Amino acid sequence: MSIFLDSSKIDDIKKYKAMGIIRGVTTNPTILLKEGVVGGMKGVKARIIEIAKLVDPLPVSCEVTTNDKQGMLDQALDIASWAKNINVKITIHGPQGELDNLSVVHELETKHNIRVNVTAMMSAQQCYLAALAGATYVSILSGRVNNMGYDSVEEIRTLRKLLDDNHLKSQIIAASTREVLNILQWLKAGAHIVTVMPQFIDGMIVHPYTKETVQMFLNDAAKAST
Ligand code: E4P
């Protein structure tokens, strides 16, 4: 069970890597844009290579930016060549439900030996099919699942059982963290990995009663040194 950082911000990645608590990094086009990465694929390449070097040998996910079948294949081959610890993110289907994506995933995993993180999934059944297609990682956007009124914990529990019972190698990444509570809840439900936004890692660490206790220690240490 491990925690990935869901960010492309270099300072954040350095900070949590130095703490020794993250085991990988995930990004997507929205995260990259929010964190100031512009300049198309050139900009994305520069940032992802920087991250990959920084966390090597930990894995880094980088998403394709097209839903055209050949375009996804070409971009995936390119992205995977940037560094050995980069895996390629591909959505389960296109914006209109186009169905080319799983064949791209299957081809990348079986013919090109490229690790794929299948993303934008909202249910155990989608993740199960991505696992059958050979995906290394299956990302269930669990916070979005909850937002729609479905129970992400049940989906993760069902999915983990399906993967284990069928001896499928895919690792479940629970993503779209919305609350500090999500992290242990999703790991406990069976996710192999939860990818966490930086603010929620801080929320896991800092506790008001710990603050008070530490202050007490410091005050008493000061008194004792007079
Ligand atoms: C990570 O792999 C996902 O892309 C990310 O967690 C999605 O987060 P969001 O649902 O907040 O956009």
Side-chain angles (χ1 to χ4, degrees):
M1 282 196 238
S2 51
I3 287 177
F4 283 10
L5 190 68
D6 202 17
S7 173
S8 61
K9 206 168 166 192
I10 298 297
D11 286 349
D12 281 340
I13 297 167
K14 281 186 182 160
K15 172 175 156 188
Y16 298 106
K17 183 184 173 251
M19 292 184 195
I21 58 180
I22 57 166
R23 298 287 179 271
V25 174
T26 52
T27 68
N28 66 36
T30 306
I31 287 172
L32 287 160
L33 178 67
K34 216 180 282 171
E35 290 165 7
V37 178
V38 286
M41 248 330 180
K42 210 171 152 213
V44 171
K45 181 176 179 178
R47 178 64 65 95
I48 295 292
I49 289 175
E50 193 179 356
I51 297 170
K53 273 195 190 134
L54 189 58
V55 301
D56 183 65
L58 302 180
V60 180
S61 291
C62 176
E63 193 163 329
V64 295
T65 59
T66 175
N67 210 78
D68 168 71
K69 188 175 182 183
Q70 192 57 48
M72 285 189 278
L73 272 169
D74 293 344
Q75 269 194 7
L77 292 170
D78 184 33
I79 290 169
S81 74
W82 297 344
K84 63 180 185 328
N85 55 331
I86 294 175
N87 59 76
V88 180
K89 251 178 157 180
I90 295 186
T91 58
I92 175 82
H93 60 65
Q96 306 301 325
E98 298 92 332
L99 293 178
D100 291 325
N101 304 32
L102 286 180
S103 60
V104 172
V105 172
H106 188 61
E107 181 169 338
L108 289 169
E109 286 274 2
T110 58
K111 288 200 189 136
H112 301 283
N113 198 25
I114 288 174
R115 293 171 307 286
V116 182
N117 175 353
V118 179
T119 190
M121 295 190 285
M122 308 292 164
S123 66
Q125 62 189 3
Q126 287 180 310
C127 295
Y128 178 51
L129 293 181
L132 287 172
T136 297
Y137 300 106
V138 291
S139 285
I140 178 159
L141 305 199
S142 308
R144 290 182 185 245
V145 173
N146 289 348
N147 286 346
M148 290 185 299
Y150 296 93
D151 183 353
S152 61
V153 167
E154 271 314 305
E155 293 300 314
I156 293 167
R157 207 173 272 147
T158 303
L159 174 60
R160 180 60 186 264
K161 185 163 173 19
L162 278 168
L163 297 187
D164 288 351
D165 289 354
N166 291 284
H167 308 290
L168 291 165
K169 66 168 174 86
S170 306
Q171 300 251 298
I172 302 168
I173 303 183
S176 296
T177 43
R178 297 286 183 265
E179 299 174 295
V180 173
L181 171 73
N182 294 150
I183 295 101
L184 294 192
Q185 188 183 46
W186 293 341
L187 287 173
K188 214 171 118 197
H192 300 88
I193 297 150
V194 177
T195 190
V196 186
M197 290 169 202
Q199 66 269 32
F200 298 122
I201 298 189
D202 293 350
M204 290 174 83
I205 301 171
V206 178
H207 192 291
Y209 197 27
T210 303
K211 282 186 182 174
E212 191 185 316
T213 306
V214 173
Q215 192 59 60
M216 179 192 75
F217 291 151
L218 291 174
N219 292 347
D220 289 342
K223 279 183 210 159
S225 68
T226 55

